[in-house]
Amino acid sequence: MKRYISKLKDFNELVMFEHSIFSLPFIFIAMIVAADGWFGFTLLILGVFAAVSARNFAMGLNRFADRDIDALNPRTASRPNVDGRLDPFSIIIFTAVNALVFIGVAYMINPLAFALSFPILFILGSYSYFKRFSSLAHIVLGVSLGLAPIAGVVAVSAEITPWSVMLSLGVIFWVAGFDLLYSLQDMDFDKERGLHSIPSKYGSQTTLLLSLFFHLLTIVFWALFVWIAELGTYAYTAVLLSAVMLGYEHFLVRKDFTKIDRAFFTVNGYLGIVFFILIVLDKAV
């Protein structure tokens, strides 16, 4: 039993399950707005399974593809895909199982969700290889998480609405913006190994400015989401607080690069939760 528990902990460390906090709130935000309130326990359960399996697939494939790179980077050399705790075959099986779970859950939701599950998995999987030939990897990661609101509204109403596109675009630039900040940690390593990232190609100052621009776009698109969806004061407050939190994130990183982890995990984690709570309040009131 201890062996199985230990192995589960290794897989948890592999995919960093707690990082699901970045996408889950925006899936449920889309579902709440699409349903004009509570969308039911069935969709709640299916939504969680879809989100978690999709992310596990993406992270599992990423760890499999990056095991040679991770082994050379001091920051990632202790990951389970590198230090021998999880062999490549186990990671592939884990990844494949999660892909099948995602497709199965999508089939149970509705035909459009099922049809979209295949291109979604392709996009999620492509991120793992992009940084080997293009600096657009940051945008691809943003698109990967930006699909979450689209998936949420498709699950409820089997359509893609204009406001959900605005919400998704906001998520895309939010994620791409904080990934730029996070990738500053590997700027020198990426440059040495010939990996493509905006920090390694253009330097830290350009990266900071581009991240700030992306986050300004985030606020614009989220404000458009609230306006097009005809939401109220609490929703606009969510956008305003998001702007404040993103501003604080940039303040932390510009002040001290050692604060990147705090900015990445703490600020962005709370942002999604706060946004979700305020949208719930907006619909409730």
PDB file of all heavy atoms in Angstrom, residues 23 50-62 95 98-99 102 116-130 137 140-148 151:
ATOM      1  N   SER A  23      -6.852  27.055 -14.241  1.00  0.00           N
ATOM      2  CA  SER A  23      -7.869  26.879 -15.278  1.00  0.00           C
ATOM      3  C   SER A  23      -9.267  26.601 -14.733  1.00  0.00           C
ATOM      4  O   SER A  23     -10.265  27.034 -15.326  1.00  0.00           O
ATOM      5  CB  SER A  23      -7.469  25.747 -16.225  1.00  0.00           C
ATOM      6  OG  SER A  23      -7.314  24.528 -15.522  1.00  0.00           O
ATOM      7  N   ALA A  50     -13.021  16.570 -16.788  1.00  0.00           N
ATOM      8  CA  ALA A  50     -12.497  17.024 -18.076  1.00  0.00           C
ATOM      9  C   ALA A  50     -11.282  17.921 -17.884  1.00  0.00           C
ATOM     10  O   ALA A  50     -10.254  17.757 -18.562  1.00  0.00           O
ATOM     11  CB  ALA A  50     -13.589  17.760 -18.856  1.00  0.00           C
ATOM     12  N   ALA A  51     -11.398  18.863 -16.957  1.00  0.00           N
ATOM     13  CA  ALA A  51     -10.304  19.808 -16.724  1.00  0.00           C
ATOM     14  C   ALA A  51      -9.057  19.115 -16.195  1.00  0.00           C
ATOM     15  O   ALA A  51      -7.944  19.360 -16.666  1.00  0.00           O
ATOM     16  CB  ALA A  51     -10.758  20.890 -15.750  1.00  0.00           C
ATOM     17  N   VAL A  52      -9.248  18.234 -15.219  1.00  0.00           N
ATOM     18  CA  VAL A  52      -8.111  17.565 -14.593  1.00  0.00           C
ATOM     19  C   VAL A  52      -7.440  16.590 -15.562  1.00  0.00           C
ATOM     20  O   VAL A  52      -6.206  16.543 -15.675  1.00  0.00           O
ATOM     21  CB  VAL A  52      -8.543  16.847 -13.305  1.00  0.00           C
ATOM     22  CG1 VAL A  52      -7.403  15.983 -12.756  1.00  0.00           C
ATOM     23  CG2 VAL A  52      -8.980  17.867 -12.262  1.00  0.00           C
ATOM     24  N   SER A  53      -8.240  15.814 -16.305  1.00  0.00           N
ATOM     25  CA  SER A  53      -7.650  14.850 -17.247  1.00  0.00           C
ATOM     26  C   SER A  53      -6.933  15.559 -18.386  1.00  0.00           C
ATOM     27  O   SER A  53      -5.860  15.103 -18.829  1.00  0.00           O
ATOM     28  CB  SER A  53      -8.725  13.901 -17.787  1.00  0.00           C
ATOM     29  OG  SER A  53      -9.745  14.610 -18.471  1.00  0.00           O
ATOM     30  N   ALA A  54      -7.495  16.674 -18.867  1.00  0.00           N
ATOM     31  CA  ALA A  54      -6.841  17.425 -19.940  1.00  0.00           C
ATOM     32  C   ALA A  54      -5.505  17.976 -19.472  1.00  0.00           C
ATOM     33  O   ALA A  54      -4.489  17.892 -20.176  1.00  0.00           O
ATOM     34  CB  ALA A  54      -7.747  18.557 -20.421  1.00  0.00           C
ATOM     35  N   ARG A  55      -5.503  18.514 -18.265  1.00  0.00           N
ATOM     36  CA  ARG A  55      -4.246  19.069 -17.750  1.00  0.00           C
ATOM     37  C   ARG A  55      -3.230  17.973 -17.452  1.00  0.00           C
ATOM     38  O   ARG A  55      -2.034  18.133 -17.702  1.00  0.00           O
ATOM     39  CB  ARG A  55      -4.519  19.893 -16.485  1.00  0.00           C
ATOM     40  CG  ARG A  55      -3.284  20.652 -16.053  1.00  0.00           C
ATOM     41  CD  ARG A  55      -3.491  21.469 -14.790  1.00  0.00           C
ATOM     42  NE  ARG A  55      -2.228  22.108 -14.465  1.00  0.00           N
ATOM     43  CZ  ARG A  55      -1.194  21.506 -13.892  1.00  0.00           C
ATOM     44  NH1 ARG A  55      -1.292  20.220 -13.580  1.00  0.00           N
ATOM     45  NH2 ARG A  55      -0.075  22.140 -13.637  1.00  0.00           N
ATOM     46  N   ASN A  56      -3.702  16.846 -16.911  1.00  0.00           N
ATOM     47  CA  ASN A  56      -2.786  15.727 -16.666  1.00  0.00           C
ATOM     48  C   ASN A  56      -2.159  15.227 -17.964  1.00  0.00           C
ATOM     49  O   ASN A  56      -0.970  14.884 -18.004  1.00  0.00           O
ATOM     50  CB  ASN A  56      -3.526  14.578 -15.974  1.00  0.00           C
ATOM     51  CG  ASN A  56      -3.780  14.848 -14.504  1.00  0.00           C
ATOM     52  OD1 ASN A  56      -3.219  15.786 -13.922  1.00  0.00           O
ATOM     53  ND2 ASN A  56      -4.625  14.039 -13.894  1.00  0.00           N
ATOM     54  N   PHE A  57      -2.966  15.165 -19.020  1.00  0.00           N
ATOM     55  CA  PHE A  57      -2.439  14.768 -20.333  1.00  0.00           C
ATOM     56  C   PHE A  57      -1.341  15.730 -20.781  1.00  0.00           C
ATOM     57  O   PHE A  57      -0.246  15.306 -21.191  1.00  0.00           O
ATOM     58  CB  PHE A  57      -3.565  14.735 -21.369  1.00  0.00           C
ATOM     59  CG  PHE A  57      -3.076  14.744 -22.790  1.00  0.00           C
ATOM     60  CD1 PHE A  57      -2.612  13.577 -23.382  1.00  0.00           C
ATOM     61  CD2 PHE A  57      -3.066  15.927 -23.531  1.00  0.00           C
ATOM     62  CE1 PHE A  57      -2.137  13.586 -24.692  1.00  0.00           C
ATOM     63  CE2 PHE A  57      -2.597  15.938 -24.840  1.00  0.00           C
ATOM     64  CZ  PHE A  57      -2.128  14.764 -25.417  1.00  0.00           C
ATOM     65  N   ALA A  58      -1.646  17.033 -20.701  1.00  0.00           N
ATOM     66  CA  ALA A  58      -0.693  18.040 -21.170  1.00  0.00           C
ATOM     67  C   ALA A  58       0.597  18.007 -20.356  1.00  0.00           C
ATOM     68  O   ALA A  58       1.704  18.041 -20.914  1.00  0.00           O
ATOM     69  CB  ALA A  58      -1.323  19.429 -21.098  1.00  0.00           C
ATOM     70  N   MET A  59       0.474  17.921 -19.035  1.00  0.00           N
ATOM     71  CA  MET A  59       1.651  17.920 -18.176  1.00  0.00           C
ATOM     72  C   MET A  59       2.434  16.619 -18.306  1.00  0.00           C
ATOM     73  O   MET A  59       3.664  16.618 -18.293  1.00  0.00           O
ATOM     74  CB  MET A  59       1.249  18.144 -16.725  1.00  0.00           C
ATOM     75  CG  MET A  59       0.747  19.551 -16.438  1.00  0.00           C
ATOM     76  SD  MET A  59       1.981  20.821 -16.762  1.00  0.00           S
ATOM     77  CE  MET A  59       3.248  20.368 -15.584  1.00  0.00           C
ATOM     78  N   GLY A  60       1.725  15.491 -18.432  1.00  0.00           N
ATOM     79  CA  GLY A  60       2.400  14.208 -18.592  1.00  0.00           C
ATOM     80  C   GLY A  60       3.226  14.176 -19.870  1.00  0.00           C
ATOM     81  O   GLY A  60       4.395  13.754 -19.860  1.00  0.00           O
ATOM     82  N   LEU A  61       2.632  14.637 -20.977  1.00  0.00           N
ATOM     83  CA  LEU A  61       3.354  14.672 -22.245  1.00  0.00           C
ATOM     84  C   LEU A  61       4.525  15.637 -22.179  1.00  0.00           C
ATOM     85  O   LEU A  61       5.615  15.366 -22.705  1.00  0.00           O
ATOM     86  CB  LEU A  61       2.402  15.062 -23.376  1.00  0.00           C
ATOM     87  CG  LEU A  61       2.993  15.033 -24.785  1.00  0.00           C
ATOM     88  CD1 LEU A  61       3.516  13.638 -25.134  1.00  0.00           C
ATOM     89  CD2 LEU A  61       1.955  15.485 -25.808  1.00  0.00           C
ATOM     90  N   ASN A  62       4.312  16.774 -21.509  1.00  0.00           N
ATOM     91  CA  ASN A  62       5.379  17.756 -21.371  1.00  0.00           C
ATOM     92  C   ASN A  62       6.566  17.197 -20.590  1.00  0.00           C
ATOM     93  O   ASN A  62       7.720  17.368 -20.978  1.00  0.00           O
ATOM     94  CB  ASN A  62       4.844  19.016 -20.673  1.00  0.00           C
ATOM     95  CG  ASN A  62       5.918  20.067 -20.491  1.00  0.00           C
ATOM     96  OD1 ASN A  62       6.449  20.240 -19.399  1.00  0.00           O
ATOM     97  ND2 ASN A  62       6.242  20.768 -21.562  1.00  0.00           N
ATOM     98  N   THR A  95      -0.235   9.417 -19.393  1.00  0.00           N
ATOM     99  CA  THR A  95      -0.674  10.431 -20.355  1.00  0.00           C
ATOM    100  C   THR A  95      -1.788   9.900 -21.245  1.00  0.00           C
ATOM    101  O   THR A  95      -2.794  10.580 -21.483  1.00  0.00           O
ATOM    102  CB  THR A  95       0.526  10.890 -21.210  1.00  0.00           C
ATOM    103  OG1 THR A  95       1.565  11.364 -20.350  1.00  0.00           O
ATOM    104  CG2 THR A  95       0.121  11.985 -22.175  1.00  0.00           C
ATOM    105  N   ASN A  98      -5.159   9.508 -19.385  1.00  0.00           N
ATOM    106  CA  ASN A  98      -5.830  10.795 -19.179  1.00  0.00           C
ATOM    107  C   ASN A  98      -6.431  11.332 -20.473  1.00  0.00           C
ATOM    108  O   ASN A  98      -7.499  11.963 -20.443  1.00  0.00           O
ATOM    109  CB  ASN A  98      -4.851  11.803 -18.574  1.00  0.00           C
ATOM    110  CG  ASN A  98      -4.753  11.678 -17.069  1.00  0.00           C
ATOM    111  OD1 ASN A  98      -5.613  12.153 -16.337  1.00  0.00           O
ATOM    112  ND2 ASN A  98      -3.714  11.003 -16.599  1.00  0.00           N
ATOM    113  N   ALA A  99      -5.778  11.078 -21.606  1.00  0.00           N
ATOM    114  CA  ALA A  99      -6.352  11.483 -22.890  1.00  0.00           C
ATOM    115  C   ALA A  99      -7.665  10.749 -23.147  1.00  0.00           C
ATOM    116  O   ALA A  99      -8.660  11.352 -23.580  1.00  0.00           O
ATOM    117  CB  ALA A  99      -5.353  11.203 -24.018  1.00  0.00           C
ATOM    118  N   PHE A 102     -10.403  12.121 -20.903  1.00  0.00           N
ATOM    119  CA  PHE A 102     -10.892  13.403 -21.409  1.00  0.00           C
ATOM    120  C   PHE A 102     -11.858  13.210 -22.575  1.00  0.00           C
ATOM    121  O   PHE A 102     -12.930  13.820 -22.615  1.00  0.00           O
ATOM    122  CB  PHE A 102      -9.710  14.270 -21.848  1.00  0.00           C
ATOM    123  CG  PHE A 102     -10.115  15.586 -22.452  1.00  0.00           C
ATOM    124  CD1 PHE A 102     -10.653  16.589 -21.666  1.00  0.00           C
ATOM    125  CD2 PHE A 102      -9.978  15.811 -23.818  1.00  0.00           C
ATOM    126  CE1 PHE A 102     -11.042  17.802 -22.221  1.00  0.00           C
ATOM    127  CE2 PHE A 102     -10.359  17.009 -24.384  1.00  0.00           C
ATOM    128  CZ  PHE A 102     -10.889  18.017 -23.582  1.00  0.00           C
ATOM    129  N   LEU A 116     -14.789  18.481 -30.353  1.00  0.00           N
ATOM    130  CA  LEU A 116     -13.704  19.412 -30.044  1.00  0.00           C
ATOM    131  C   LEU A 116     -12.602  18.785 -29.197  1.00  0.00           C
ATOM    132  O   LEU A 116     -11.508  19.346 -29.086  1.00  0.00           O
ATOM    133  CB  LEU A 116     -14.261  20.636 -29.310  1.00  0.00           C
ATOM    134  CG  LEU A 116     -15.151  21.576 -30.136  1.00  0.00           C
ATOM    135  CD1 LEU A 116     -15.722  22.672 -29.250  1.00  0.00           C
ATOM    136  CD2 LEU A 116     -14.368  22.188 -31.298  1.00  0.00           C
ATOM    137  N   SER A 117     -12.876  17.639 -28.583  1.00  0.00           N
ATOM    138  CA  SER A 117     -11.895  17.039 -27.676  1.00  0.00           C
ATOM    139  C   SER A 117     -10.598  16.668 -28.395  1.00  0.00           C
ATOM    140  O   SER A 117      -9.512  16.783 -27.818  1.00  0.00           O
ATOM    141  CB  SER A 117     -12.484  15.804 -26.980  1.00  0.00           C
ATOM    142  OG  SER A 117     -12.758  14.760 -27.903  1.00  0.00           O
ATOM    143  N   PHE A 118     -10.686  16.270 -29.655  1.00  0.00           N
ATOM    144  CA  PHE A 118      -9.491  15.844 -30.398  1.00  0.00           C
ATOM    145  C   PHE A 118      -8.578  17.018 -30.757  1.00  0.00           C
ATOM    146  O   PHE A 118      -7.376  16.965 -30.473  1.00  0.00           O
ATOM    147  CB  PHE A 118      -9.902  15.043 -31.635  1.00  0.00           C
ATOM    148  CG  PHE A 118     -10.657  13.788 -31.298  1.00  0.00           C
ATOM    149  CD1 PHE A 118     -12.045  13.760 -31.328  1.00  0.00           C
ATOM    150  CD2 PHE A 118      -9.978  12.642 -30.907  1.00  0.00           C
ATOM    151  CE1 PHE A 118     -12.747  12.615 -31.000  1.00  0.00           C
ATOM    152  CE2 PHE A 118     -10.672  11.479 -30.575  1.00  0.00           C
ATOM    153  CZ  PHE A 118     -12.055  11.470 -30.610  1.00  0.00           C
ATOM    154  N   PRO A 119      -9.118  18.105 -31.360  1.00  0.00           N
ATOM    155  CA  PRO A 119      -8.225  19.250 -31.608  1.00  0.00           C
ATOM    156  C   PRO A 119      -7.706  19.880 -30.316  1.00  0.00           C
ATOM    157  O   PRO A 119      -6.592  20.404 -30.289  1.00  0.00           O
ATOM    158  CB  PRO A 119      -9.096  20.234 -32.396  1.00  0.00           C
ATOM    159  CG  PRO A 119     -10.504  19.780 -32.207  1.00  0.00           C
ATOM    160  CD  PRO A 119     -10.442  18.313 -31.987  1.00  0.00           C
ATOM    161  N   ILE A 120      -8.499  19.828 -29.244  1.00  0.00           N
ATOM    162  CA  ILE A 120      -8.038  20.365 -27.962  1.00  0.00           C
ATOM    163  C   ILE A 120      -6.820  19.588 -27.466  1.00  0.00           C
ATOM    164  O   ILE A 120      -5.820  20.176 -27.040  1.00  0.00           O
ATOM    165  CB  ILE A 120      -9.172  20.339 -26.919  1.00  0.00           C
ATOM    166  CG1 ILE A 120     -10.191  21.443 -27.214  1.00  0.00           C
ATOM    167  CG2 ILE A 120      -8.612  20.508 -25.500  1.00  0.00           C
ATOM    168  CD1 ILE A 120     -11.410  21.414 -26.329  1.00  0.00           C
ATOM    169  N   LEU A 121      -6.877  18.261 -27.539  1.00  0.00           N
ATOM    170  CA  LEU A 121      -5.731  17.449 -27.124  1.00  0.00           C
ATOM    171  C   LEU A 121      -4.514  17.727 -28.002  1.00  0.00           C
ATOM    172  O   LEU A 121      -3.378  17.760 -27.504  1.00  0.00           O
ATOM    173  CB  LEU A 121      -6.084  15.962 -27.182  1.00  0.00           C
ATOM    174  CG  LEU A 121      -7.020  15.444 -26.089  1.00  0.00           C
ATOM    175  CD1 LEU A 121      -7.325  13.968 -26.320  1.00  0.00           C
ATOM    176  CD2 LEU A 121      -6.423  15.644 -24.697  1.00  0.00           C
ATOM    177  N   PHE A 122      -4.734  17.954 -29.280  1.00  0.00           N
ATOM    178  CA  PHE A 122      -3.613  18.271 -30.183  1.00  0.00           C
ATOM    179  C   PHE A 122      -2.946  19.579 -29.762  1.00  0.00           C
ATOM    180  O   PHE A 122      -1.705  19.675 -29.701  1.00  0.00           O
ATOM    181  CB  PHE A 122      -4.106  18.372 -31.624  1.00  0.00           C
ATOM    182  CG  PHE A 122      -3.033  18.791 -32.588  1.00  0.00           C
ATOM    183  CD1 PHE A 122      -2.089  17.880 -33.034  1.00  0.00           C
ATOM    184  CD2 PHE A 122      -2.960  20.108 -33.035  1.00  0.00           C
ATOM    185  CE1 PHE A 122      -1.079  18.276 -33.912  1.00  0.00           C
ATOM    186  CE2 PHE A 122      -1.960  20.509 -33.906  1.00  0.00           C
ATOM    187  CZ  PHE A 122      -1.021  19.586 -34.349  1.00  0.00           C
ATOM    188  N   ILE A 123      -3.752  20.595 -29.469  1.00  0.00           N
ATOM    189  CA  ILE A 123      -3.199  21.889 -29.041  1.00  0.00           C
ATOM    190  C   ILE A 123      -2.462  21.744 -27.716  1.00  0.00           C
ATOM    191  O   ILE A 123      -1.350  22.268 -27.541  1.00  0.00           O
ATOM    192  CB  ILE A 123      -4.325  22.938 -28.929  1.00  0.00           C
ATOM    193  CG1 ILE A 123      -4.894  23.239 -30.322  1.00  0.00           C
ATOM    194  CG2 ILE A 123      -3.806  24.220 -28.285  1.00  0.00           C
ATOM    195  CD1 ILE A 123      -6.151  24.073 -30.295  1.00  0.00           C
ATOM    196  N   LEU A 124      -3.077  21.026 -26.777  1.00  0.00           N
ATOM    197  CA  LEU A 124      -2.434  20.820 -25.475  1.00  0.00           C
ATOM    198  C   LEU A 124      -1.094  20.102 -25.623  1.00  0.00           C
ATOM    199  O   LEU A 124      -0.115  20.433 -24.950  1.00  0.00           O
ATOM    200  CB  LEU A 124      -3.353  20.012 -24.555  1.00  0.00           C
ATOM    201  CG  LEU A 124      -4.650  20.684 -24.099  1.00  0.00           C
ATOM    202  CD1 LEU A 124      -5.487  19.710 -23.277  1.00  0.00           C
ATOM    203  CD2 LEU A 124      -4.363  21.940 -23.298  1.00  0.00           C
ATOM    204  N   GLY A 125      -1.052  19.124 -26.514  1.00  0.00           N
ATOM    205  CA  GLY A 125       0.169  18.354 -26.706  1.00  0.00           C
ATOM    206  C   GLY A 125       1.250  19.121 -27.444  1.00  0.00           C
ATOM    207  O   GLY A 125       2.443  18.887 -27.225  1.00  0.00           O
ATOM    208  N   SER A 126       0.856  20.036 -28.316  1.00  0.00           N
ATOM    209  CA  SER A 126       1.836  20.751 -29.138  1.00  0.00           C
ATOM    210  C   SER A 126       2.742  21.651 -28.307  1.00  0.00           C
ATOM    211  O   SER A 126       3.893  21.902 -28.688  1.00  0.00           O
ATOM    212  CB  SER A 126       1.123  21.576 -30.212  1.00  0.00           C
ATOM    213  OG  SER A 126       0.363  22.625 -29.631  1.00  0.00           O
ATOM    214  N   TYR A 127       2.246  22.128 -27.174  1.00  0.00           N
ATOM    215  CA  TYR A 127       3.062  23.023 -26.340  1.00  0.00           C
ATOM    216  C   TYR A 127       4.381  22.372 -25.944  1.00  0.00           C
ATOM    217  O   TYR A 127       5.417  23.032 -25.883  1.00  0.00           O
ATOM    218  CB  TYR A 127       2.284  23.431 -25.083  1.00  0.00           C
ATOM    219  CG  TYR A 127       3.182  24.053 -24.032  1.00  0.00           C
ATOM    220  CD1 TYR A 127       3.708  25.328 -24.218  1.00  0.00           C
ATOM    221  CD2 TYR A 127       3.518  23.358 -22.867  1.00  0.00           C
ATOM    222  CE1 TYR A 127       4.547  25.903 -23.277  1.00  0.00           C
ATOM    223  CE2 TYR A 127       4.361  23.916 -21.921  1.00  0.00           C
ATOM    224  CZ  TYR A 127       4.875  25.190 -22.127  1.00  0.00           C
ATOM    225  OH  TYR A 127       5.710  25.751 -21.199  1.00  0.00           O
ATOM    226  N   SER A 128       4.358  21.080 -25.697  1.00  0.00           N
ATOM    227  CA  SER A 128       5.538  20.378 -25.209  1.00  0.00           C
ATOM    228  C   SER A 128       6.717  20.452 -26.168  1.00  0.00           C
ATOM    229  O   SER A 128       7.866  20.274 -25.754  1.00  0.00           O
ATOM    230  CB  SER A 128       5.192  18.907 -24.937  1.00  0.00           C
ATOM    231  OG  SER A 128       4.177  18.798 -23.965  1.00  0.00           O
ATOM    232  N   TYR A 129       6.465  20.726 -27.438  1.00  0.00           N
ATOM    233  CA  TYR A 129       7.535  20.705 -28.430  1.00  0.00           C
ATOM    234  C   TYR A 129       7.837  22.080 -29.025  1.00  0.00           C
ATOM    235  O   TYR A 129       8.846  22.251 -29.707  1.00  0.00           O
ATOM    236  CB  TYR A 129       7.163  19.726 -29.552  1.00  0.00           C
ATOM    237  CG  TYR A 129       7.019  18.308 -29.045  1.00  0.00           C
ATOM    238  CD1 TYR A 129       5.770  17.801 -28.676  1.00  0.00           C
ATOM    239  CD2 TYR A 129       8.135  17.489 -28.881  1.00  0.00           C
ATOM    240  CE1 TYR A 129       5.641  16.510 -28.181  1.00  0.00           C
ATOM    241  CE2 TYR A 129       8.015  16.203 -28.391  1.00  0.00           C
ATOM    242  CZ  TYR A 129       6.772  15.716 -28.041  1.00  0.00           C
ATOM    243  OH  TYR A 129       6.653  14.439 -27.537  1.00  0.00           O
ATOM    244  N   PHE A 130       6.990  23.058 -28.745  1.00  0.00           N
ATOM    245  CA  PHE A 130       7.122  24.364 -29.382  1.00  0.00           C
ATOM    246  C   PHE A 130       8.432  25.065 -29.040  1.00  0.00           C
ATOM    247  O   PHE A 130       9.056  25.695 -29.902  1.00  0.00           O
ATOM    248  CB  PHE A 130       5.937  25.261 -29.016  1.00  0.00           C
ATOM    249  CG  PHE A 130       5.087  25.622 -30.198  1.00  0.00           C
ATOM    250  CD1 PHE A 130       4.116  24.756 -30.655  1.00  0.00           C
ATOM    251  CD2 PHE A 130       5.263  26.817 -30.869  1.00  0.00           C
ATOM    252  CE1 PHE A 130       3.333  25.067 -31.758  1.00  0.00           C
ATOM    253  CE2 PHE A 130       4.490  27.147 -31.963  1.00  0.00           C
ATOM    254  CZ  PHE A 130       3.514  26.267 -32.414  1.00  0.00           C
ATOM    255  N   ALA A 137       6.008  29.598 -27.864  1.00  0.00           N
ATOM    256  CA  ALA A 137       5.568  28.606 -26.877  1.00  0.00           C
ATOM    257  C   ALA A 137       4.748  29.250 -25.761  1.00  0.00           C
ATOM    258  O   ALA A 137       3.810  28.644 -25.240  1.00  0.00           O
ATOM    259  CB  ALA A 137       6.773  27.873 -26.292  1.00  0.00           C
ATOM    260  N   VAL A 140       1.288  29.589 -27.010  1.00  0.00           N
ATOM    261  CA  VAL A 140       0.653  28.272 -27.116  1.00  0.00           C
ATOM    262  C   VAL A 140       0.189  27.801 -25.743  1.00  0.00           C
ATOM    263  O   VAL A 140      -0.901  27.232 -25.607  1.00  0.00           O
ATOM    264  CB  VAL A 140       1.610  27.249 -27.746  1.00  0.00           C
ATOM    265  CG1 VAL A 140       0.987  25.854 -27.753  1.00  0.00           C
ATOM    266  CG2 VAL A 140       1.963  27.658 -29.170  1.00  0.00           C
ATOM    267  N   LEU A 141       1.003  28.052 -24.714  1.00  0.00           N
ATOM    268  CA  LEU A 141       0.571  27.707 -23.351  1.00  0.00           C
ATOM    269  C   LEU A 141      -0.675  28.503 -22.983  1.00  0.00           C
ATOM    270  O   LEU A 141      -1.613  27.964 -22.379  1.00  0.00           O
ATOM    271  CB  LEU A 141       1.691  27.978 -22.354  1.00  0.00           C
ATOM    272  CG  LEU A 141       1.343  27.656 -20.895  1.00  0.00           C
ATOM    273  CD1 LEU A 141       1.068  26.172 -20.704  1.00  0.00           C
ATOM    274  CD2 LEU A 141       2.466  28.113 -19.956  1.00  0.00           C
ATOM    275  N   GLY A 142      -0.686  29.787 -23.352  1.00  0.00           N
ATOM    276  CA  GLY A 142      -1.863  30.607 -23.085  1.00  0.00           C
ATOM    277  C   GLY A 142      -3.104  30.068 -23.767  1.00  0.00           C
ATOM    278  O   GLY A 142      -4.179  29.996 -23.166  1.00  0.00           O
ATOM    279  N   VAL A 143      -2.945  29.659 -25.031  1.00  0.00           N
ATOM    280  CA  VAL A 143      -4.077  29.080 -25.766  1.00  0.00           C
ATOM    281  C   VAL A 143      -4.551  27.796 -25.092  1.00  0.00           C
ATOM    282  O   VAL A 143      -5.764  27.542 -24.992  1.00  0.00           O
ATOM    283  CB  VAL A 143      -3.680  28.809 -27.232  1.00  0.00           C
ATOM    284  CG1 VAL A 143      -4.772  28.021 -27.952  1.00  0.00           C
ATOM    285  CG2 VAL A 143      -3.409  30.118 -27.958  1.00  0.00           C
ATOM    286  N   SER A 144      -3.606  26.996 -24.609  1.00  0.00           N
ATOM    287  CA  SER A 144      -3.955  25.728 -23.962  1.00  0.00           C
ATOM    288  C   SER A 144      -4.879  25.948 -22.771  1.00  0.00           C
ATOM    289  O   SER A 144      -5.872  25.235 -22.590  1.00  0.00           O
ATOM    290  CB  SER A 144      -2.676  25.006 -23.512  1.00  0.00           C
ATOM    291  OG  SER A 144      -1.876  24.656 -24.616  1.00  0.00           O
ATOM    292  N   LEU A 145      -4.560  26.937 -21.932  1.00  0.00           N
ATOM    293  CA  LEU A 145      -5.420  27.224 -20.787  1.00  0.00           C
ATOM    294  C   LEU A 145      -6.612  28.083 -21.183  1.00  0.00           C
ATOM    295  O   LEU A 145      -7.669  28.030 -20.547  1.00  0.00           O
ATOM    296  CB  LEU A 145      -4.628  27.903 -19.666  1.00  0.00           C
ATOM    297  CG  LEU A 145      -3.954  26.939 -18.680  1.00  0.00           C
ATOM    298  CD1 LEU A 145      -2.731  26.297 -19.329  1.00  0.00           C
ATOM    299  CD2 LEU A 145      -3.549  27.660 -17.391  1.00  0.00           C
ATOM    300  N   GLY A 146      -6.436  28.865 -22.256  1.00  0.00           N
ATOM    301  CA  GLY A 146      -7.533  29.709 -22.719  1.00  0.00           C
ATOM    302  C   GLY A 146      -8.687  28.927 -23.306  1.00  0.00           C
ATOM    303  O   GLY A 146      -9.792  29.461 -23.473  1.00  0.00           O
ATOM    304  N   LEU A 147      -8.455  27.664 -23.615  1.00  0.00           N
ATOM    305  CA  LEU A 147      -9.545  26.810 -24.100  1.00  0.00           C
ATOM    306  C   LEU A 147     -10.541  26.470 -23.003  1.00  0.00           C
ATOM    307  O   LEU A 147     -11.662  26.042 -23.285  1.00  0.00           O
ATOM    308  CB  LEU A 147      -8.962  25.509 -24.669  1.00  0.00           C
ATOM    309  CG  LEU A 147      -8.134  25.634 -25.952  1.00  0.00           C
ATOM    310  CD1 LEU A 147      -7.413  24.330 -26.246  1.00  0.00           C
ATOM    311  CD2 LEU A 147      -9.022  26.028 -27.127  1.00  0.00           C
ATOM    312  N   ALA A 148     -10.139  26.670 -21.741  1.00  0.00           N
ATOM    313  CA  ALA A 148     -10.986  26.285 -20.609  1.00  0.00           C
ATOM    314  C   ALA A 148     -12.362  26.967 -20.628  1.00  0.00           C
ATOM    315  O   ALA A 148     -13.392  26.283 -20.500  1.00  0.00           O
ATOM    316  CB  ALA A 148     -10.259  26.559 -19.292  1.00  0.00           C
ATOM    317  N   ALA A 151     -14.485  25.540 -23.379  1.00  0.00           N
ATOM    318  CA  ALA A 151     -14.970  24.206 -23.001  1.00  0.00           C
ATOM    319  C   ALA A 151     -16.142  24.316 -22.035  1.00  0.00           C
ATOM    320  O   ALA A 151     -17.106  23.540 -22.114  1.00  0.00           O
ATOM    321  CB  ALA A 151     -13.833  23.399 -22.369  1.00  0.00           C
TER     322      ALA A 151
END
